[in-house]
Amino acid sequence: MLSFFTPQLKIQKNRQVLRETDERMAKYSRRGLMSNFIIFLLCMAVGTFVDMQPGLAIALSIGLLITTLLRGYLLFRFEALYPRAPALWRTRYFYATLLGAAWWGLIVAIETLIVGIDHEGPLLWLYTIVFFSMTANAFAPYKQFLTVYQLLGLAPGALCLLFTGEMTGVIYAVVVFFFIWLLHHQCEQIADNYWERLESGASLARKTESLEEEKRDTRATAQLHRDYMLLLKKELEELLNTKRSPRASDTANIGKSDSEKQKQQPASPAKRPRLQQLHANVSDFYQILTKDIDFSDSTFNPKALLQYIITQYSNETSQKNIDIELVFSPNLPHLVVGDTQRLTQIVQSMMNAIISQLDEGALFIDVEYIQERGKAGDLSIAANHQPTGQRTLFNAQQATGIQLNLELALAIGLAEAQEGSLDITSNNQGTQLRYRATFADKTEGNIATSLIPALKGKRILLVHENPRVLDSKRQELSRLGLTVSTETLFKRGLSTLRSAIDNNAPFSAVVFHSHADPKATADFSRTLLAENDCKLIPQIIMGSESARQLDEFSEIIANPYVYWINKPAVIDDFKLCFWQLYNQDEQRTSQEQEMTAIVSTEDASTLQESLTEDGLPCQTFTSVKNLLSTTDKNTLKHVIFIGSEHRDNGDYNKLRETYSNIYILACDTPEQVKQHLESGADHVSSLSSQDKLATAIKALA
């Protein structure tokens, strides 16, 4: 198939520009389509060609009608056909137009041979010359097509003028050929000017946009630089004005000589942690300003990492009466690629700013993953603080808002260095910090669904005073297959439980939290345990670790029908809790065996499934703190650490203090764990999976 248009310039590959060009061509073609048919009918009506050749006139009319209908279908259906396949529409229209031009050239040639340049002949030739002159501007951008189009429409008639037998006909033929040559060169010039003009405009627009972006970046960098340096000055002044309390050694050295004091001073005194942190912040900010900061990419599980970070603030938020809720979007990938250290630093800065500056209320942390087709996705972390109190249209209090501090200013700079953003907004509805940056999705295969078939059809009651928390948790629990009913007050929740029992449709469990009023929460739990009809309904309490240690809950937690989930509670925590709730017989059997714990902030589900299939019960924890608070001392025998961060924060010693007879295996990745276990158990292949693991750990200790 011939190609009448081959894009060479960059602007010729722009779909929007090509669409505007094709729309312009189609608009002029619609006008010419109607005028061609009208002029032809007029010539047949007033001329002598119909009387001389009636059959040939009918044949020419039918052919012109068919080509007109074919072109009309492509032109008047432009809006419907063009968006589906622009190049295909353009090619079809070129061939249909060339067919119409060839048929018109045939009409002019036959008229010239039969009628000559008398009667309707001059009228037909005059219209043909004017028509092809006008359409040249519309078709000029496609000069290859235009050349063929003009030859098919004008050349046949010009050749027939040579055979009219008159000198006038020969002169007319020479004039027409000269006109075709001039028209061809004129159209080439119009086409070149057309594309050059568009290319210049696009280049100017790109340059203007680049200059505007550079100008905005310069202004933002300068403003951030000024803010950061001002805050740095205040921080240094506060640090220098801080009076250090005298040490015991300083008092003991009174009266001693300078030489004796110098001998007693250590060679390298430890720096104060605040000064070390200040030095690290200044170094990072200098690298941001010089655009010399490096990001080390690694593959990690965003759910595990973010839950581990947010969990560290559970007790602090509980002390300030801030109810923290962590919500993961269902489309969040299992694995992404990015800098975990910088992500941790930014999220910690956001949490520190919120906890230190805002008062009691609810803190919603929404984690989403937004991905456009063909592009890397953006990880969005939005921390929304909703103050305590009813906010209405006529009674709205302005939120306190977040004040920019040294740590938060550095986090904004890090986000911008990642080509992302960290925005702070505040209105009468609350305060929001939103971080957004690009993290490539590295999940292979389909993400496992949250639905648990064993939970399908089971009814639970969810009680929480905050409607937004109710809606969020209801959606999470519904994804597990549960049917969720909600109430905002304990009194209503108790009434709903009693009504369900009276109707012979009791709830399978009740879920509530201990944030707003721990005493009221404990009273509600005791009330359920005291009633004969409600005491067998399992209770799932969401709360912080510090709330769990309160005296109000010491007796309640000991009850086998009460389960505690540390906040922030996510869907995986509920999965494990409901599995334990509805698989108690299997749980008792597994508790009699020696259990293995996997401590990792990365994804270790594959390793856990592999060891479980071999008959070795496993559980995965994000931190040693969670492990110590949820594991039975009599069953834990082996602990597998994945990652290097546990070696520096004393997790091994903490574990040894509680469990003195356990085996510890530390590796950087789950694959290394498998390799070590296989290589350490080759000579005991006849042993059970537990003995293999113990022997392998002993051999590698």
Side-chain angles (χ1 to χ4, degrees):
M1 183 179 291
L2 294 176
S3 177
F4 295 104
F5 176 67
T6 303
Q8 295 178 351
L9 300 175
K10 186 176 182 180
I11 194 64
Q12 293 177 338
K13 301 176 183 179
N14 188 309
R15 293 189 175 184
Q16 183 63 30
V17 172
L18 287 177
R19 180 183 177 90
E20 293 175 358
T21 303
D22 292 337
E23 285 181 344
R24 177 171 171 267
M25 179 177 63
K27 181 179 69 173
Y28 282 94
S29 298
R30 293 189 196 103
R31 301 172 183 175
L33 196 67
M34 304 303 297
S35 61
N36 283 353
F37 201 80
I38 294 173
I39 291 298
F40 175 78
L41 294 179
L42 180 62
C43 291
M44 294 297 102
V46 301
T48 59
F49 182 80
V50 177
D51 298 331
M52 300 173 62
Q53 297 289 338
L56 188 57
I58 294 174
L60 293 177
S61 301
I62 294 174
L64 182 62
L65 179 61
I66 292 174
T67 57
T68 302
L69 291 176
L70 180 61
R71 293 178 62 199
Y73 172 79
L74 295 174
L75 291 174
F76 291 98
R77 294 272 298 168
F78 176 85
E79 295 297 335
L81 299 176
Y82 189 88
R84 301 176 185 175
L88 181 61
W89 180 91
R90 192 181 303 110
T91 302
R92 288 178 177 177
Y93 179 73
F94 283 166
Y95 279 102
T97 304
L98 292 179
L99 179 62
W103 192 261
W104 185 263
L106 180 63
I107 292 175
V108 175
I110 293 175
E111 281 269 353
T112 303
L113 289 176
I114 295 177
V115 180
I117 54 176
D118 299 324
H119 305 290
E120 69 269 22
L123 176 61
L124 188 62
W125 267 107
L126 178 62
Y127 171 78
T128 301
I129 296 297
V130 174
F131 176 78
F132 279 86
S133 299
M134 294 175 59
T135 56
N137 288 326
F139 294 148
Y142 308 108
K143 55 184 177 182
Q144 296 177 353
F145 159 75
L146 182 58
T147 301
V148 180
Y149 173 77
Q150 291 174 345
L151 288 176
L152 291 177
L154 295 174
L159 290 174
C160 292
L161 284 172
L162 298 174
F163 300 99
T164 56
E166 300 178 6
M167 190 61 184
T168 306
V170 175
I171 295 173
Y172 283 175
V174 173
V175 171
V176 171
F177 280 118
F178 182 73
F179 172 76
I180 294 174
W181 178 77
L182 289 177
L183 198 59
H184 171 70
H185 285 278
Q186 180 185 1
C187 292
E188 281 189 342
Q189 189 66 29
I190 294 175
D192 294 338
N193 292 338
Y194 178 82
W195 293 117
E196 287 177 3
R197 177 173 55 83
L198 292 179
E199 180 71 22
S200 300
S203 177
L204 182 60
R206 288 194 298 268
K207 187 175 181 180
T208 303
E209 183 179 357
S210 176
L211 291 175
E212 287 293 329
E213 183 177 357
E214 183 179 355
K215 188 177 180 180
R216 287 194 300 269
D217 291 345
T218 302
R219 289 179 177 176
T221 302
Q223 183 62 35
L224 182 62
H225 187 190
R226 289 192 294 269
D227 293 341
Y228 192 90
M229 289 306 168
L230 179 60
L231 295 169
L232 179 59
K233 179 183 177 183
K234 294 180 179 179
E235 187 76 11
L236 287 174
E237 289 176 354
E238 182 181 351
L239 184 61
L240 294 174
N241 293 331
T242 301
K243 294 183 179 180
R244 180 174 64 87
S245 58
R247 302 176 184 174
S249 59
D250 295 339
T251 307
N253 289 334
I254 297 176
K256 294 184 180 181
S257 62
D258 294 340
S259 59
E260 292 177 348
K261 293 180 180 179
Q262 186 174 3
K263 290 179 181 179
Q264 292 182 358
Q265 289 178 354
S268 56
K271 296 180 179 179
R272 287 180 286 182
R274 190 174 178 184
L275 188 59
Q276 289 181 336
Q277 182 64 38
L278 183 60
H279 177 266
N281 290 345
V282 172
S283 299
D284 288 341
F285 191 77
Y286 177 76
Q287 291 178 348
I288 293 173
L289 291 179
T290 57
K291 298 183 179 180
D292 192 30
I293 189 168
D294 294 327
F295 296 97
S296 57
D297 290 341
S298 61
T299 303
F300 66 97
N301 185 347
K303 287 185 179 180
L305 178 62
L306 293 173
Q307 185 178 5
Y308 174 78
I309 297 172
I310 302 302
T311 303
Q312 309 305 313
Y313 295 91
S314 177
N315 290 335
E316 294 184 53
T317 54
S318 178
Q319 293 173 2
K320 293 199 66 173
N321 290 329
I322 297 177
D323 187 14
I324 185 170
E325 292 293 334
L326 178 60
V327 181
F328 292 114
S329 173
N331 61 349
L332 186 66
H334 199 55
L335 295 173
V336 297
V337 175
D339 192 328
T340 56
Q341 180 181 358
R342 297 302 184 184
L343 177 61
T344 301
Q345 183 178 355
I346 292 173
V347 175
Q348 287 178 342
S349 300
M350 295 168 60
M351 294 298 299
N352 291 335
I354 291 174
I355 294 175
S356 62
Q357 300 187 36
L358 299 181
D359 299 325
E360 60 181 15
L363 177 60
F364 300 92
I365 302 176
D366 300 318
V367 183
E368 299 178 340
Y369 192 76
I370 305 168
Q371 185 173 19
E372 298 180 2
R373 181 176 297 179
K375 296 182 179 180
D378 288 345
L379 180 66
S380 174
I381 304 174
N384 299 276
H385 178 266
Q386 184 181 37
T388 303
Q390 183 69 26
R391 294 182 179 274
T392 62
L393 180 63
F394 302 101
N395 182 23
Q397 302 173 4
Q398 182 64 29
T400 305
I402 294 289
Q403 300 297 323
L404 192 66
N405 58 18
L406 199 63
E407 189 178 13
L408 196 55
L410 178 60
I412 295 175
L414 287 173
E416 293 178 353
Q418 289 180 320
E419 297 183 354
S421 61
L422 176 56
D423 301 322
I424 306 173
T425 57
S426 178
N427 51 36
N428 60 348
Q429 298 299 322
T431 303
Q432 181 188 79
L433 275 74
R434 178 179 291 276
Y435 165 72
R436 183 168 180 170
T438 300
F439 288 81
D441 183 3
K442 286 297 179 181
T443 304
E444 296 182 358
N446 297 327
I447 300 178
T449 179
S450 300
L451 179 65
I452 301 178
L455 301 181
K456 193 172 183 180
K458 294 186 179 295
R459 299 171 61 243
I460 67 169
L461 177 64
L462 177 63
V463 182
H464 201 289
E465 76 276 3
N466 192 309
R468 182 173 176 181
V469 177
L470 273 180
D471 185 64
S472 173
K473 293 303 176 188
R474 180 186 57 79
Q475 294 180 11
E476 284 188 357
L477 295 173
S478 298
R479 291 205 299 269
L480 296 177
L482 295 165
T483 302
V484 184
S485 300
T486 60
E487 291 291 348
T488 57
L489 298 175
F490 285 137
K491 184 178 180 180
R492 294 180 181 177
L494 185 60
S495 176
T496 302
L497 288 172
R498 292 169 177 169
S499 299
I501 294 174
D502 294 339
N503 296 330
N504 294 324
F507 288 96
S508 301
V510 56
V511 181
F512 53 99
H513 82 128
S514 65
H515 166 68
D517 188 356
K519 186 178 183 302
T521 305
D523 292 341
F524 175 71
S525 179
R526 291 193 193 96
T527 302
L528 295 180
L529 294 175
E531 294 190 8
N532 293 330
D533 294 336
C534 299
K535 66 180 181 180
L536 298 181
I537 299 177
Q539 303 177 25
I540 302 174
I541 305 177
M542 302 178 292
S544 63
E545 182 62 27
S546 60
R548 182 179 181 178
Q549 306 299 329
L550 296 176
D551 296 336
E552 287 87 345
F553 297 103
S554 58
E555 181 181 352
I556 295 175
I557 296 176
N559 191 290
Y561 290 95
V562 177
Y563 299 82
W564 187 279
I565 298 181
N566 288 333
K567 300 192 72 173
V570 296
I571 190 169
D572 292 335
D573 298 325
F574 286 106
K575 269 187 178 181
L576 179 60
C577 181
F578 282 111
W579 184 88
Q580 294 174 348
L581 179 63
Y582 297 115
N583 296 274
Q584 292 183 356
D585 295 336
E586 298 179 7
Q587 186 179 355
R588 293 192 191 97
T589 303
S590 63
Q591 285 179 349
E592 296 175 358
Q593 304 176 3
E594 296 179 351
M595 192 194 74
T596 297
I598 302 174
V599 181
S600 173
T601 57
E602 300 178 355
D603 178 42
S605 57
T606 304
L607 176 62
Q608 180 180 353
E609 293 173 0
S610 176
L611 295 178
T612 304
E613 290 175 358
D614 292 338
L616 188 65
C618 295
Q619 288 189 26
T620 302
F621 302 89
T622 57
S623 65
V624 171
K625 185 177 180 180
N626 291 340
L627 170 64
L628 295 176
S629 63
T630 58
T631 307
D632 187 0
K633 295 182 180 180
N634 298 324
T635 61
L636 182 63
K637 298 299 180 183
H638 314 115
V639 178
I640 300 175
F641 284 94
I642 300 177
S644 59
E645 63 273 8
H646 306 286
R647 304 171 186 172
D648 302 325
N649 54 16
D651 285 347
Y652 300 161
N653 296 331
K654 296 178 185 177
L655 202 58
R656 288 290 187 191
E657 292 174 0
T658 307
Y659 303 94
S660 58
N661 297 322
I662 63 170
Y663 299 105
I664 297 177
L665 175 62
C667 296
D668 292 333
T669 62
E671 289 75 17
Q672 292 182 3
V673 175
K674 295 180 181 178
Q675 294 174 2
H676 287 323
L677 295 181
E678 293 173 358
S679 62
D682 287 342
H683 62 286
V684 288
S685 57
S686 61
L687 299 179
S688 64
S689 298
Q690 296 180 15
D691 295 332
K692 285 183 182 181
L693 177 60
T695 305
I697 293 176
K698 289 178 182 178
L700 295 168

